[in-house]
């Protein structure tokens, strides 16, 4: 009887892992609704069974889907949850990726009209997250994970620079009149 229960649990866990992989394939193929449905089921299973490492990866994958659909608030929340679990369980390599993804999301939000009231806060937080990701990647010796935060920091600084030039160009006619 105990063996039967163990085998059933192993099969359910294997099915869950298969659904996670299938969800990624749907995501890559652009079938985001199918990917989301599978990802939601996988997340529910992982929450119920305390599979924190897998849950972190599933939350990150669902956040990517939300970003593709420009649902930045939801992506931000999912990344924050993934960050909290990864930090709690000591998943440092995952923390590096999550910090970068969260930073990128915040930087993107700072460029959108719907976030204009908190634009400065978003860009500052985004820059800080990318800097933290870069520092953690350096600390862990993860050279391949240093490229994305560096790129995102460059993008953020260019955004700030362009906005300052634009603001100055609006001021110049007033001064010269």
């Amino acid at each position: 009887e105990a063996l039967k229960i163990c085998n059933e649990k192993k099969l359910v866990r294997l099915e869950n892992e298969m659904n996670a992989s299938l969800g990624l394939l749907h995501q890559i193929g652009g079938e985001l609704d199918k990917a989301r449905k599978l990802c939601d089921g996988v997340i529910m299973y992982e929450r119920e069974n305390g599979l924190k490492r897998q849950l972190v990866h599933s939350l990150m994958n669902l956040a990517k889907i939300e970003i593709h659909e420009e649902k930045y608030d939801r992506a931000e929340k999912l990344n924050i949850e993934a960050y909290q679990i990864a930090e709690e369980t000591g998943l440092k390599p995952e923390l590096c990726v999550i910090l970068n993804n969260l930073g990128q999301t915040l930087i993107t939000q700072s460029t959108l009209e719907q976030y204009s009231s908190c634009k400065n806060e978003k860009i500052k937080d985004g820059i800080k997250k990318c800097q933290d990701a870069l520092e953690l990647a350096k600390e862990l010796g993860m050279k391949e994970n240093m490229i994305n935060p560096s790129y995102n920091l460059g993008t953020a600084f260019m955004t700030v620079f362009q906005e300052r030039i634009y603001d100055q160009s609006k001021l110049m006619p007033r001064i010269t009149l």
Side-chain angles (χ1 to χ4, degrees):
E1 185 66 28
L3 282 174
K4 183 180 176 185
I5 292 170
C6 284
N7 283 335
E8 287 174 3
K9 284 194 174 206
K10 283 181 185 175
L11 288 175
V12 171
R13 188 167 179 175
L14 186 61
E15 179 184 3
N16 190 65
E17 289 173 8
M18 182 193 69
N19 284 339
S21 297
L22 187 57
L24 283 173
L25 289 174
H26 284 301
Q27 183 180 348
I28 291 166
E31 298 175 289
L32 300 181
D33 289 336
K34 289 180 181 178
R36 175 181 281 105
K37 185 177 178 182
L38 287 166
C39 203
D40 285 339
V42 168
I43 288 172
M44 187 171 67
Y45 175 82
E46 290 165 349
R47 285 186 201 282
E48 290 171 357
N49 291 282
L51 303 172
K52 292 187 177 188
R53 178 183 208 98
Q54 294 90 331
L55 179 58
V56 166
H57 287 274
S58 296
L59 290 168
M60 290 166 55
N61 289 334
L62 186 54
K64 288 178 190 173
I65 293 169
E66 300 298 351
I67 287 169
H68 283 288
E69 294 188 337
E70 298 180 358
K71 296 177 182 175
Y72 298 108
D73 288 336
R74 179 93 170 109
E76 180 182 357
K77 288 176 185 171
L78 290 164
N79 276 315
I80 289 171
E81 183 181 356
Y83 176 83
Q84 291 168 340
I85 296 168
E87 188 173 50
E88 167 191 313
T89 55
L91 302 173
K92 285 195 173 189
E94 286 83 350
L95 280 173
C96 183
V97 175
I98 295 165
L99 282 166
N100 177 64
N101 292 348
L102 184 54
Q104 181 181 21
T105 301
L106 293 167
I107 290 165
T108 301
Q109 287 175 324
S110 76
T111 66
L112 302 174
E113 185 64 35
Q114 69 196 60
Y115 300 98
S116 61
S117 65
C118 56
K119 175 200 292 197
N120 290 334
E121 179 183 317
K122 293 281 186 188
I123 193 90
K124 286 179 187 176
D125 288 349
I127 288 171
K128 174 76 170 105
K129 298 292 187 227
C130 289
Q131 287 172 330
D132 291 347
L134 185 59
E135 289 304 313
L136 184 56
K138 285 179 189 176
E139 176 188 318
L140 297 174
M142 299 171 56
K143 291 180 182 177
E144 70 281 358
N145 283 29
M146 294 168 67
I147 295 169
N148 287 336
S150 298
Y151 174 82
N152 290 335
L153 284 169
T155 302
F157 291 133
M158 282 303 298
T159 299
V160 171
F161 179 72
Q162 288 171 340
E163 285 181 9
R164 289 205 174 139
I165 287 177
Y166 175 73
D167 286 346
Q168 288 177 357
S169 71
K170 289 192 307 188
L171 291 175
M172 291 306 266
R174 289 188 205 150
I175 294 171
T176 56
L177 291 177

